[in-house]
Amino acid sequence: MAASALFILDLKGKPLISRNYKGDVGLGEIENFMGVLLQREEEGTLTPVLTYGHVHFLWIKHANLYLVATTKKNGNASLVFSFLYKVVEVSWGVWGGLGVTLIRGGGVTEVFSEYFKELEEESIRDNFVIIYELLDELMDFGFPQTTDSKILQEYITQEGNKLDTGRSRVPTTVTNAVSWRSEGIRYKKNEVFIDVIESVNLLVSANGSVVLSEVVGTIKLKVFLSGMPELRLGLNDRVLFELTGRGKNKSVELEDVKFHQCVRLSRFDNDRTISFIPPDGDFELMSYRLHTQVKPLIWIESIIEKFSHSRVEIMVKAKGQFKKQSVANGVEIAIPVPSDADSPKFKTTVGSARYLPERNVVIWSIKSFPVSIPCAPQPREHPLSPPKPPRGVPPVPPQPGGGRGGPHEPLRGSQGGKEHLMRAHFGLPSVEKEEEEGRPPIAVRFEIPYFTVSGIQVRYMKIIEKSGYQALPWVRYITQSGDYQIRTS
Amino acid sequence: MQTDNLELKKLVYLYLMNYAKSQPDMAIMAVNTFVKDCEDPNPLIRALAVRTMGCIRVDKITEYLCEPLRKCLKDEDPYVRKTAAVCVAKLHDINAQLVEDQGFLDTLKDLISDSNPMVVANAVAALSEIAESHPSSNLLDLNPQSINKLLTALNECTEWGQIFILDCLANYMPKDDREAQRSFSAGGRAGINSFPSPHPGSICERVTPRLSHANSAVVLSAVKVLMKFMEMLSKDLDYYGTLLKKLAPPLVTLLSAEPELQYVALRNINLIVQKRPEILKHEMKVFFVKYNDPIYVKLEKLDIMIRLASQANIAQVLAELKEYATEVDVDFVRKAVRAIGRCAIKVEQSAERCVSTLLDLIQTKVNYVVQEAIVVIKDIFRKYPNKYESVIATLCENLDSLDEPEARAAMIWIVGEYAERIDNADELLESFLEGFHDESTQVQLQLLTAIVKLFLKKPTETQELVQQVLSLATQDSDNPDLRDRGYIYWRLLSTDPVAAKEVVLAEKPLISEETDLIEPTLLDELICYIGTLASVYHKPPSAFVEGSRGVVHKSLPPRTGSVESVESPDTAPSGGPAADQPSVIPTQGDLLGDLLNLDLGPPVSGPPMATSSVQMGAVDLLGGGLDTLLRSDVGGSPAMGGGGSSFTAAPSTTAPTNVGAPLGSGLGDLFDLTGGVGTLSGSYVAPKTVSGAAKLGVQGGTDSRAPPQQRRWGSTRGSVLGDTPGVWLPAMKAKGLEISGTFSRQVGSISMDLVLTNKALQVMSDFAIQFNRNSFGLAPAAPLQVHAPLAPNQSVEISLPLNTVGSVMKMDPLNNLQVAVKNNIDVFYFSTLYPLHILFVEDGKMERQMFLATWKDIPNENETQFQIKDYAVSSKLQGSNIFTIAKRNVEGQDMLYQSLKLTNGIWVLAELRIQPSNPSF
């Protein structure tokens, strides 16, 4: 049905670890993989599905590893790719968790991803036992089984368990209908942190017309709740409002909604209720997509003039087009320059510009946009008016990854619509390069906290647990750039 | 191995799995441990043992593992049960017979009703896996109850389990439409949390929520189920429209997934767009290419953009394509340029804009862009002749930069085609001629044709050139294609230049729009395999199976609510055992195949026209077929042949038969000629023919009373004439349903006499029948009535009345009939040949005068003659509505003139000359 065997290869195509689930494809077949891959790459016909003889290779590349599934049958390709990505995710989770336990002594506890960067060849060799155990649980005879990393961590651990202690039992969770949450979780303080993150994908043609504009939203939860809580999330969903006769005002039409497996899909289909028993900790509850045309939040106009054999002149104008109250943080505008450009000179009205020759771009960064007089920080939004946050300061939930805009940043008010300018000047060698270069688009990154493009709002989050504790939901909104590209001429 | 350390145990097991094959003896030693571990109090250990032992592919130990496996399948812990379910599939892979003997398959089927959704999912996965390698088994012939259970489990199991279940549902054939549709009244909204609704229908409704799953693979599998079951929904239904609308957003969202998943999704969207373009017709923009898309995603997006291009969005599409055409990735740019050309051909209103875009691109002078553009402009010329020739001048400017064969060939074609408008066409072509032998074949062939065209258009100036190219092609080339073409031109030109002109400069058919569409039957099959490798490669799933194991061909269910034909793609004439269907059938096929030239379109109004149109193809009709028929009819006795009867015919058709003949009478009666041929009548009453007549009395020829020899005759004759049941659909091809039957015509009505036999182990019911469109519009006049369910090993005889008012489509052979039969198990297709005589109508007797007049009107070239050696024919044909109009004696030979009329109004006239020396008359 799905995969016959699974391989993890290094960059040269050498198998680091393999697990033959069905035995109908010889383990030696993998030796052909790299050859086919290189050949197809050379021909420019590389695809994620390769075939050699009767064997099909479905592969992804992660960091410096290839994950390859093989099959001889008409397997379900989408399942295999989903599974491969899940393996990466699970490995991340489990090895990440492992990373903490292993390295805690050394004091490195902060960032899993740092650890993961090293978790390549070497880590796989070092941890082959646990990896085999994992591979055994992840898939059986080509059928994916349990792939929830948190649950896996409960019964696949690093310490050599003595059986008589009875500790390593299968958590009933594995086969429960609720296979993603274990029983008996306890927290002193019951809280849920909700992050509503909207990414704006924008494609503007060189002549300045918007080709594609879409908003992809995700709602991420960080759950610290005891027991088996039953959660219900209320959004200003237009379909729901229409169902309940609430009218259209201030509602949002979600074009396509995808949910974490904990959400009861049939119930959502029936009456648009988002009800679920959440996994513990971080997870992405849902994502949605909107096609409503929005004004591009940051508008870029550019003139790139290339005078062959002498110089390149770049003029970029950036303009904020969002609400006056909002501020865009960490704005980075990446402008492509020819790879043979040299001696950069910049002039900016705000922010700073730097040349990154390795990426062939100029990055114009503006800490906060538009720049203006500082004013009071804005309160974190909290739709449920629970007991006031202590000491008038918005509660700052621990945020994974950091870096994202939020209350840490110094905030300033704004006068939306102001334009900023950046000029750059590069020299070009008098001998022109032979090969032609593409025209990469200008890419923009930004974050606008306390704001959603769509106007989506969390109206309520009901938390019901049989022990009847009080739990606090916290909500934070943020809009950020997704695939935000402006083509250059 | 007896360790308490779980981790160590796992490693030991892992070692066993990897080395058991090379050291089978050691594996046997492990059996005890497996047996013991399967009874361990810790479910983790039990599961580990049952999981590992299935992976030890050593034949010797498998039988020891049956008992532990049986226990584990009934284990109290669902974790163990779900692992055991998979182990059945493993064991089946090693020793299928053992698994069947031990009854594990039934246990596995029982697990579909397990209380734990994970167990259900794994059981389904295991069953699917087993069924896949044994297509003949009815493992996955699910009944509505188990479908209902699966649908319930669908809501509760893991994402992977959902995929197993959805993939399994996609194989399910609902019994009737109601099951595929939702029942609005059933109140799906009432029960909120618990789903087991009293009405099991509405599979679609219960699958639709899966479209909101975060896992792309779940979404694609759900799309597959919906695409399949949509086929059964009536298009008028509101729900059909709703479903269409619901499918678009999830498909679009798939494009935000990881690139590999995007690729799989795009390949499948390509299929979906071909099958149901309406789903994504408004979503063009999402297929616009992004700079950082991997190349394989870019190329797929381009393909879909072209498929979705329409007048409404063409402006945007063109702007995008132009943008892509100026990128740097060569493959992508080429494809973009081609796409512009395809848009021009597809959307007529945009052609002009496309051409000007292409011209702009040619101005860039980027070599490969120019070449690609020229290739597509050639196609545009062929689609819109005499419209855009003004651009030729621009194209000619780039002549020198063309270095790819395809572009050179295209350019040469253009120059040749429009030679009269290009002043220096001869110079241009001459320049190509210099390096003639270095060119690729494609270019050589094109150059040859172009120069011949040029010569025919401007003969005065180019004589030398044409001679040069002809000698190059014919004398100096080793390529047979080139030489052949050269010789053809040469001879044409030297014998008849006018004809040459007509041939070479003939008007060309316009090229069609979409040349790369997937063939519809393959498309339907691939839709049933959405998400799999087959759908990624756009190749039939059978291409993925190694060795001889068959693959179940899936096809979309026939559309309901429409009279459209059932496509029966791969039903070859269902060949039964050789004894039942002797080689005569193909002969008959050939014979009738030639009738293909009959103008079947409008019913012919008058006999003269009809005859002339009939005559065209009937040349070897009688020679090939009728004698065979006659031979068998007269009993196949060689003694009966002797003389020859020659048949001068305005062609007749076929099958003199005895259906309507007085069966009790002797052959003499049958051959009784009306009128003055009485002298002959006595001469053929030979003893053997009498026995032949006796045979004729034995209807069906399978009567046990008939002597063996006659039986053989009977069956031979029967299969020719179609009045002995031949097996049309063997049981092994139709999951146990065997269909045999015959056709007959009695007093003006045609009927199909069927015998349905149930050779499966389960009861069959809900029979229905449908004919594909056929040459004479045969169609069931009443539904197939099988009153009671057909129990195993039971058969039922049904006479199905037919009429000829169905849709008409020319078949090959002409009397081919494709039939679809449905029952509660599946839909089966077969095709059969019906004897043409069932179509001879009772009023086929033409008036004498009319006959004469008509006969004279038949142009000579429409007449054909051929001999039927050895065997005889006579007016007994009247029994089959072949009427003798007149007879006369010319120079000692008897001439019979006959007429018959087909159900579609076509007359066939025949003259039959009988040589008196023939004793068999």
Side-chain angles (χ1 to χ4, degrees):
Chain A
M1 173 167 274
S4 176
L6 184 70
F7 299 85
I8 300 178
L9 312 179
D10 68 6
L11 268 188
K12 295 187 200 91
K14 194 166 53 124
L16 297 174
I17 212 160
S18 66
R19 178 72 169 83
N20 197 347
Y21 288 108
K22 290 182 73 173
D24 60 339
V25 180
L27 286 178
E29 298 276 3
I30 193 67
E31 283 163 23
N32 304 316
F33 169 72
M34 221 43 204
V36 182
L37 184 118
L38 292 174
Q39 188 199 341
R40 294 284 295 270
E41 195 165 26
E42 205 161 284
E43 291 166 1
T45 56
L46 191 58
T47 51
V49 184
L50 300 172
T51 303
Y52 185 88
H54 285 288
V55 182
H56 308 286
F57 302 102
L58 295 90
W59 62 281
I60 64 171
K61 196 176 168 190
H62 184 86
N64 282 327
L65 301 172
Y66 289 104
L67 276 81
V68 188
T70 58
T71 180
K72 270 187 178 173
K73 292 192 172 173
N74 180 24
N76 187 332
S78 52
L79 179 143
V80 173
F81 284 120
S82 287
F83 177 74
L84 290 179
Y85 276 103
K86 204 76 179 186
V87 171
V88 171
E89 189 186 303
V90 169
S91 312
W92 194 93
V94 173
W95 294 332
L98 186 70
V100 176
T101 52
L102 289 180
I103 309 174
R104 189 169 283 147
V108 191
T109 49
E110 302 145 15
V111 197
F112 298 160
S113 58
E114 280 302 310
Y115 176 74
F116 188 67
K117 261 186 205 158
E118 296 164 37
L119 191 111
E120 290 174 5
E121 276 190 59
E122 206 179 318
S123 319
I124 286 186
R125 280 183 224 282
D126 292 348
N127 297 302
F128 80 94
V129 175
I130 201 164
I131 292 170
Y132 271 122
E133 278 189 60
L134 268 179
L135 292 178
D136 227 26
E137 288 297 329
L138 288 171
M139 187 177 249
D140 194 8
F141 203 54
F143 310 129
Q145 299 291 312
T146 310
T147 53
D148 193 303
S149 61
K150 289 194 193 79
I151 303 303
L152 284 169
Q153 278 180 63
E154 284 180 28
Y155 68 108
I156 296 187
T157 52
Q158 187 67 350
E159 303 114 49
N161 289 305
K162 282 283 177 192
L163 287 179
D164 49 2
T165 60
R167 272 177 58 207
S168 61
R169 295 244 154 188
V170 197
T172 46
T173 329
V174 175
T175 49
N176 264 353
V178 182
S179 64
W180 53 87
R181 186 182 181 90
S182 300
E183 297 196 25
I185 297 171
R186 289 214 55 78
Y187 285 99
K188 268 191 194 151
K189 197 171 174 189
N190 290 300
E191 287 179 310
V192 181
F193 296 96
I194 306 168
D195 270 323
V196 180
I197 303 160
E198 289 195 341
S199 303
V200 181
N201 295 335
L202 182 77
L203 185 60
V204 180
S205 72
N207 61 21
S209 59
V210 176
V211 178
L212 177 71
S213 149
E214 65 171 5
V215 177
V216 177
T218 54
I219 298 185
K220 291 186 177 167
L221 259 54
K222 204 171 173 67
V223 180
F224 303 105
L225 295 172
S226 313
M228 281 297 215
E230 175 74 45
L231 270 60
R232 242 165 73 199
L233 177 71
L235 300 173
N236 54 342
D237 168 18
R238 177 161 306 164
V239 184
L240 177 66
F241 275 32
E242 277 165 13
L243 274 178
T244 51
R246 222 183 282 249
K248 283 188 178 181
N249 45 337
K250 281 209 151 188
S251 62
V252 177
E253 188 170 357
L254 308 171
E255 188 152 329
D256 186 35
V257 194
K258 294 273 180 273
F259 291 106
H260 185 268
Q261 60 166 328
C262 67
V263 177
R264 298 184 183 96
L265 296 181
S266 42
R267 183 141 182 221
F268 179 76
D269 202 51
N270 271 336
D271 56 10
R272 303 288 281 194
T273 309
I274 303 167
S275 75
F276 55 98
I277 297 172
D280 193 40
D282 289 317
F283 75 105
E284 184 179 310
L285 176 70
M286 60 182 280
S287 65
Y288 54 90
R289 193 164 47 79
L290 306 146
H291 261 309
T292 36
Q293 282 280 349
V294 284
K295 225 177 181 183
L297 297 171
I298 292 184
W299 184 249
I300 303 285
E301 282 170 39
S302 70
I303 302 170
I304 302 178
E305 280 179 299
K306 190 172 164 186
F307 303 91
S308 294
H309 317 300
S310 69
R311 66 189 196 280
V312 182
E313 304 266 8
I314 297 170
M315 202 271 288
V316 178
K317 204 157 66 175
K319 188 178 162 192
Q321 302 194 115
F322 40 89
K323 276 191 206 150
K324 278 189 175 178
Q325 305 92 309
S326 299
V327 161
N329 293 322
V331 178
E332 276 193 357
I333 302 163
I335 305 114
V337 291
S339 59
D340 51 357
D342 55 36
S343 46
K345 282 179 217 144
F346 308 109
K347 218 164 95 186
T348 57
T349 57
V350 67
S352 64
R354 73 211 134 96
Y355 173 45
L356 298 181
E358 67 276 14
R359 282 173 54 199
N360 297 321
V361 288
V362 176
I363 303 272
W364 177 19
S365 2
I366 307 165
K367 258 200 166 163
S368 88
F369 186 100
V371 189
S372 54
I373 335 117
C375 75
Q378 310 204 341
R380 161 177 295 272
E381 215 166 325
H382 202 293
L384 291 178
S385 56
K388 275 231 158 196
R391 296 184 304 281
V393 180
V396 182
Q399 281 304 321
R404 193 181 291 144
H408 309 284
E409 303 270 332
L411 296 175
R412 279 161 232 186
S414 67
Q415 303 153 346
K418 203 170 173 189
E419 287 181 1
H420 299 294
L421 262 181
M422 194 275 289
R423 285 175 191 280
H425 176 283
F426 286 88
L428 284 178
S430 52
V431 185
E432 208 168 321
K433 278 196 315 169
E434 275 190 9
E435 79 232 46
E436 226 190 316
E437 280 183 6
R439 289 168 296 119
I442 294 177
V444 184
R445 286 170 57 179
F446 59 84
E447 282 180 345
I448 307 176
Y450 316 124
F451 169 74
T452 54
V453 198
S454 63
I456 198 168
Q457 278 186 340
V458 175
R459 287 168 46 235
Y460 60 82
M461 167 71 94
K462 287 184 184 154
I463 301 160
I464 301 160
E465 216 278 332
K466 53 178 187 277
S467 64
Y469 56 72
Q470 280 287 319
L472 296 181
W474 304 100
V475 189
R476 183 164 75 160
Y477 299 95
I478 194 164
T479 293
Q480 62 186 25
S481 57
D483 206 348
Y484 202 98
Q485 300 183 347
I486 296 101
R487 289 179 182 156
T488 55
S489 47
Chain B
M1 286 189 66
Q2 303 287 359
T3 171
D4 282 348
N5 186 315
L6 182 59
E7 197 178 307
L8 208 55
K9 194 180 253 319
K10 281 184 178 171
L11 285 177
V12 172
Y13 277 177
L14 188 69
Y15 177 83
L16 258 176
M17 273 188 263
N18 286 330
Y19 293 98
K21 243 189 171 163
S22 48
Q23 299 170 27
D25 297 335
M26 209 180 72
I28 288 180
M29 280 162 39
V31 168
N32 257 338
T33 320
F34 284 131
V35 176
K36 191 167 159 251
D37 280 354
C38 279
E39 309 208 344
D40 196 277
N42 186 338
L44 208 56
I45 305 279
R46 294 201 298 272
L48 180 65
V50 82
R51 182 164 62 211
T52 311
M53 69 192 200
C55 296
I56 296 183
R57 305 177 65 87
V58 175
D59 234 358
K60 275 190 269 180
I61 73 162
T62 42
E63 55 187 292
Y64 298 109
L65 302 179
C66 291
E67 273 324 298
L69 177 58
R70 198 187 314 283
K71 264 184 210 142
C72 287
L73 280 167
K74 304 239 154 79
D75 200 281
E76 53 170 22
D77 193 305
Y79 183 75
V80 180
R81 287 203 303 278
K82 86 168 173 104
T83 314
V86 176
C87 187
V88 175
K90 293 178 185 169
L91 210 57
H92 188 272
D93 199 37
I94 303 169
N95 191 341
Q97 196 57 44
L98 182 75
V99 169
E100 278 164 42
D101 295 346
Q102 295 278 335
F104 284 140
L105 293 182
D106 294 327
T107 323
L108 206 52
K109 274 184 171 177
D110 292 343
L111 286 183
I112 289 184
S113 316
D114 198 277
S115 58
N116 187 296
M118 291 276 286
V119 179
V120 177
N122 272 5
V124 168
L127 280 172
S128 306
E129 179 80 22
I130 295 171
E132 198 183 317
S133 53
H134 292 261
S136 52
S137 62
N138 312 335
L139 275 179
L140 279 177
D141 294 342
L142 298 169
N143 53 22
Q145 284 76 21
S146 32
I147 290 295
N148 213 18
K149 273 174 193 139
L150 291 186
L151 285 168
T152 310
L154 187 60
N155 288 321
E156 291 166 357
C157 59
T158 65
E159 45 200 318
W160 314 112
Q162 294 182 20
I163 297 171
F164 305 151
I165 291 178
L166 287 170
D167 283 358
C168 176
L169 283 176
N171 289 330
Y172 174 64
M173 272 284 179
K175 244 192 298 189
D176 58 84
D177 315 341
R178 291 266 311 284
E179 214 167 316
Q181 281 171 37
R182 77 191 252 153
S183 45
F184 288 92
S185 53
R189 312 210 176 283
I192 290 176
N193 228 341
S194 59
F195 231 97
S197 70
H199 296 287
S202 69
I203 292 177
C204 283
E205 191 181 46
R206 291 171 71 176
V207 166
T208 319
R210 297 300 123 196
L211 294 174
S212 301
H213 201 287
N215 188 326
S216 306
V218 176
V219 175
L220 260 184
S221 286
V223 168
K224 165 165 55 190
V225 175
L226 294 175
M227 282 296 285
K228 178 164 178 185
F229 288 155
M230 263 173 98
E231 198 72 9
M232 278 174 268
L233 297 176
S234 156
K235 280 193 175 172
D236 316 325
L237 217 63
D238 285 347
Y239 184 58
Y240 181 84
T242 318
L243 208 52
L244 276 185
K245 279 201 202 94
K246 279 191 175 175
L247 276 171
L251 288 173
V252 171
T253 306
L254 287 174
L255 300 185
S256 325
E258 288 83 3
E260 289 84 2
L261 281 161
Q262 274 188 54
Y263 174 72
V264 175
L266 284 166
R267 293 292 287 173
N268 282 290
I269 287 172
N270 201 326
L271 298 172
I272 292 167
V273 165
Q274 288 182 54
K275 180 72 191 166
R276 298 193 184 280
E278 63 270 33
I279 294 178
L280 287 166
K281 67 178 172 203
H282 299 304
E283 302 289 350
M284 171 62 89
K285 280 185 172 183
V286 298
F287 297 103
F288 286 173
V289 169
K290 290 185 181 155
Y291 183 77
N292 35 356
D293 282 334
I295 180 70
Y296 53 80
V297 168
K298 285 184 177 175
L299 295 176
E300 293 307 318
K301 280 186 172 174
L302 254 187
D303 251 358
I304 295 169
M305 280 173 68
I306 300 164
R307 295 211 193 283
L308 289 176
S310 66
Q311 202 185 339
N313 55 27
I314 193 73
Q316 264 186 323
V317 173
L318 267 184
E320 280 295 301
L321 291 176
K322 196 176 173 186
E323 178 80 31
Y324 305 158
T326 54
E327 294 222 4
V328 283
D329 188 312
V330 178
D331 290 324
F332 181 57
V333 170
R334 282 175 184 276
K335 195 151 184 181
V337 176
R338 282 207 182 206
I340 296 173
R342 281 172 63 184
C343 285
I345 290 164
K346 190 174 176 197
V347 187
E348 186 162 359
Q349 295 82 354
S350 75
E352 194 160 345
R353 228 176 324 175
C354 294
V355 171
S356 78
T357 307
L358 287 170
L359 283 182
D360 287 352
L361 291 172
I362 289 176
Q363 300 303 348
T364 63
K365 302 280 177 196
V366 178
N367 189 283
Y368 52 85
V369 174
V370 173
Q371 309 212 35
E372 237 15 88
I374 284 177
V375 172
V376 295
I377 285 178
K378 177 204 69 181
D379 290 340
I380 294 175
F381 283 169
R382 289 208 53 191
K383 171 77 179 178
Y384 310 107
N386 305 316
K387 223 170 163 186
Y388 300 111
E389 281 72 15
S390 54
V391 309
I392 291 176
T394 321
L395 303 186
C396 290
E397 287 166 21
N398 293 285
L399 212 59
D400 301 331
S401 63
L402 308 179
D403 51 13
E404 291 163 21
E406 200 178 356
R408 287 173 82 87
M411 191 64 220
I412 293 168
W413 182 88
I414 292 170
V415 174
E417 188 68 16
Y418 299 101
E420 70 273 24
R421 307 192 198 184
I422 306 170
D423 294 334
N424 58 344
D426 49 344
E427 285 169 39
L428 294 176
L429 293 175
E430 200 168 359
S431 69
F432 282 104
L433 208 54
E434 280 159 20
F436 188 77
H437 289 297
D438 301 329
E439 300 283 1
S440 73
T441 313
Q442 188 184 13
V443 180
Q444 290 175 330
L445 286 169
Q446 210 49 259
L447 193 54
L448 172 62
T449 306
I451 291 179
V452 172
K453 279 183 191 164
L454 172 69
F455 171 72
L456 288 167
K457 287 173 177 174
K458 302 178 179 173
T460 45
E461 309 130 60
T462 55
Q463 203 140 18
E464 204 175 310
L465 194 61
V466 81
Q467 258 159 17
Q468 204 181 338
V469 76
L470 285 174
S471 80
L472 277 173
T474 54
Q475 284 157 26
D476 301 344
S477 171
D478 293 334
N479 185 317
D481 288 343
L482 188 61
R483 286 164 56 156
D484 277 357
R485 195 185 284 193
Y487 279 123
I488 288 172
Y489 283 144
W490 204 327
R491 290 198 184 127
L492 261 177
L493 291 173
S494 56
T495 48
D496 189 353
V498 181
K501 206 162 187 169
E502 272 171 28
V503 172
V504 179
L505 301 181
E507 214 163 287
K508 278 164 276 299
L510 297 184
I511 57 172
S512 66
E513 297 174 10
E514 303 212 37
T515 45
D516 59 340
L517 286 179
I518 294 175
E519 193 250 327
T521 49
L522 176 62
L523 180 64
D524 281 359
E525 190 176 7
L526 290 179
I527 290 283
C528 300
Y529 286 98
I530 283 177
T532 67
L533 284 173
S535 70
V536 172
Y537 279 114
H538 293 182
K539 279 183 190 161
S542 48
F544 292 85
V545 180
E546 222 187 333
S548 58
R549 281 178 174 178
V551 160
V552 195
H553 278 280
K554 292 185 202 169
S555 174
L556 288 176
R559 267 220 78 80
T560 46
S562 68
V563 270
E564 263 176 64
S565 61
V566 183
E567 297 283 345
S568 57
D570 40 22
T571 43
S574 59
D580 285 341
Q581 299 211 325
S583 57
V584 198
I585 284 272
T587 322
Q588 196 185 18
D590 292 344
L591 128 86
L592 293 158
D594 277 335
L595 264 178
L596 272 181
N597 288 330
L598 287 179
D599 185 5
L600 289 165
V604 190
S605 50
M609 266 177 70
T611 23
S612 58
S613 65
V614 164
Q615 282 168 347
M616 307 214 5
V619 184
D620 57 353
L621 191 149
L622 295 170
L626 199 51
D627 57 348
T628 330
L629 287 172
L630 293 172
R631 172 175 23 197
S632 54
D633 197 50
V634 189
S637 152
M640 295 183 49
S645 68
S646 86
F647 223 44
T648 314
S652 146
T653 42
T654 179
T657 184
N658 63 325
V659 170
L663 289 165
S665 65
L667 200 59
D669 261 355
L670 288 169
F671 281 88
D672 190 15
L673 307 174
T674 50
V677 243
T679 43
L680 278 170
S681 65
S683 66
Y684 61 75
V685 187
K688 275 185 183 164
T689 27
V690 172
S691 83
K695 170 207 65 179
L696 290 170
V698 183
Q699 181 134 39
T702 45
D703 192 321
S704 56
R705 287 165 299 167
Q709 190 192 17
Q710 286 170 7
R711 248 190 15 215
R712 183 174 53 76
W713 286 342
S715 65
T716 312
R717 179 181 50 97
S719 50
V720 173
L721 302 179
D723 56 4
T724 294
V727 176
W728 288 340
L729 183 68
M732 56 184 290
K733 281 194 179 172
K735 303 188 177 165
L737 176 66
E738 184 179 278
I739 301 178
S740 56
T742 60
F743 292 92
S744 62
R745 181 182 185 94
Q746 264 150 1
V747 272
S749 64
I750 307 169
S751 59
M752 184 182 192
D753 302 313
L754 292 162
V755 181
L756 307 179
T757 310
N758 183 352
K759 296 193 171 173
L761 295 172
Q762 63 189 113
V763 173
M764 294 179 180
S765 57
D766 304 313
F767 286 93
I769 193 163
Q770 214 170 359
F771 290 0
N772 198 355
R773 284 181 291 170
N774 54 68
S775 315
F776 292 94
L778 274 181
L784 187 66
Q785 303 261 330
V786 181
H787 293 293
L790 196 56
N793 280 324
Q794 202 186 5
S795 51
V796 61
E797 288 179 29
I798 304 149
S799 183
L800 181 72
L802 307 181
N803 58 30
T804 52
V805 298
S807 334
V808 172
M809 186 175 73
K810 206 160 85 175
M811 298 298 293
D812 185 16
L814 198 67
N815 59 335
N816 191 11
L817 179 66
Q818 298 181 338
V819 183
V821 171
K822 195 183 91 168
N823 63 10
N824 58 328
I825 295 169
D826 206 344
V827 180
F828 310 106
Y829 304 96
F830 64 87
S831 66
T832 180
L833 301 174
Y834 49 86
L836 219 49
H837 70 80
I838 63 167
L839 299 166
F840 298 169
V841 294
E842 276 72 16
D843 60 348
K845 183 157 186 166
M846 197 182 262
E847 277 208 30
R848 255 182 115 101
Q849 294 308 315
M850 183 72 161
F851 186 92
L852 261 165
T854 312
W855 189 265
K856 281 180 193 154
D857 282 343
I858 301 171
N860 277 341
E861 63 263 31
N862 281 359
E863 285 195 19
T864 35
Q865 287 201 11
F866 29 95
Q867 280 213 325
I868 305 172
K869 285 202 182 115
D870 301 338
Y871 304 112
V873 71
S874 127
S875 66
K876 65 122 182 177
L877 303 176
Q878 184 160 348
S880 321
N881 299 334
I882 302 173
F883 300 93
T884 305
I885 308 300
K887 21 196 101 59
R888 62 191 174 121
N889 190 295
V890 181
E891 296 161 20
Q893 295 183 349
D894 279 297
M895 313 287 272
L896 300 186
Y897 294 89
Q898 282 157 318
S899 75
L900 65 92
K901 189 177 150 196
L902 290 161
T903 50
N904 54 1
I906 293 179
W907 286 90
V908 179
L909 306 187
E911 180 188 66
L912 197 63
R913 178 168 28 184
I914 299 159
Q915 284 172 352
S917 59
N918 186 343
S920 57
F921 273 90

